[in-house]
C-alpha cells in the first residue's frame, strides 16, 4: 500500500470516528434537552403549588398528621 493510500485510509477512519462521535453527542444533547424540559415542567408545577398555598412536605408538622392506625 502506498503512503498516499495509507493517508487516505487514515483520514477515512478519522471521518467515520468523528461521525460516530457526533451522533453520540447529538443523542446526549437531545436527552439532556428532554430532561431539562421535564425539570422545567416540574418546577412550574411546584411554583404553582406554592402560589396556591400548598405547603411542601418538608414544611408540614408531622404532629398534625393522623397516624395510620386511627
Amino acid at each position: 500500500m502506498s503512503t498516499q493510500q495509507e493517508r487516505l485510509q487514515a483520514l477515512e477512519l478519522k471521518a467515520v470516528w468523528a461521525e460516530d462521535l457526533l451522533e453520540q453527542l447529538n443523542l446526549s444533547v437531545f436527552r439532556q434537552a428532554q430532561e431539562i424540559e421535564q425539570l422545567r415542567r416540574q418546577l412550574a408545577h411546584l411554583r404553582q403549588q406554592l402560589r396556591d398555598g400548598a405547603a411542601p412536605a418538608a414544611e408540614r408538622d408531622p404532629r398534625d398528621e393522623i397516624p395510620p392506625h386511627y
Side-chain angles (χ1 to χ4, degrees), residues 57 60-67:
R60 293 183 190 152
D61 188 354
R63 291 176 286 181
D64 294 339
E65 298 195 16
I66 298 172

Side-chain angles (χ1 to χ4, degrees), residues 2-33:
S2 71
T3 304
Q4 193 173 24
Q5 285 177 332
E6 289 173 357
R7 289 177 58 198
L8 181 59
Q9 195 172 29
L11 288 173
E12 288 173 343
L13 185 61
K14 286 181 182 181
V16 168
W17 181 83
E19 286 176 4
D20 184 55
L21 179 61
L22 181 60
E23 231 176 272
Q24 290 176 22
L25 290 172
N26 281 336
L27 183 59
S28 180
V29 168
F30 175 74
R31 287 179 179 158
Q32 288 176 352

Side-chain angles (χ1 to χ4, degrees), residues 28-39:
S28 180
V29 168
F30 175 74
R31 287 179 179 158
Q32 288 176 352
Q34 286 182 317
E35 187 174 354
I36 288 170
E37 185 56 36
Q38 179 185 9
L39 290 170

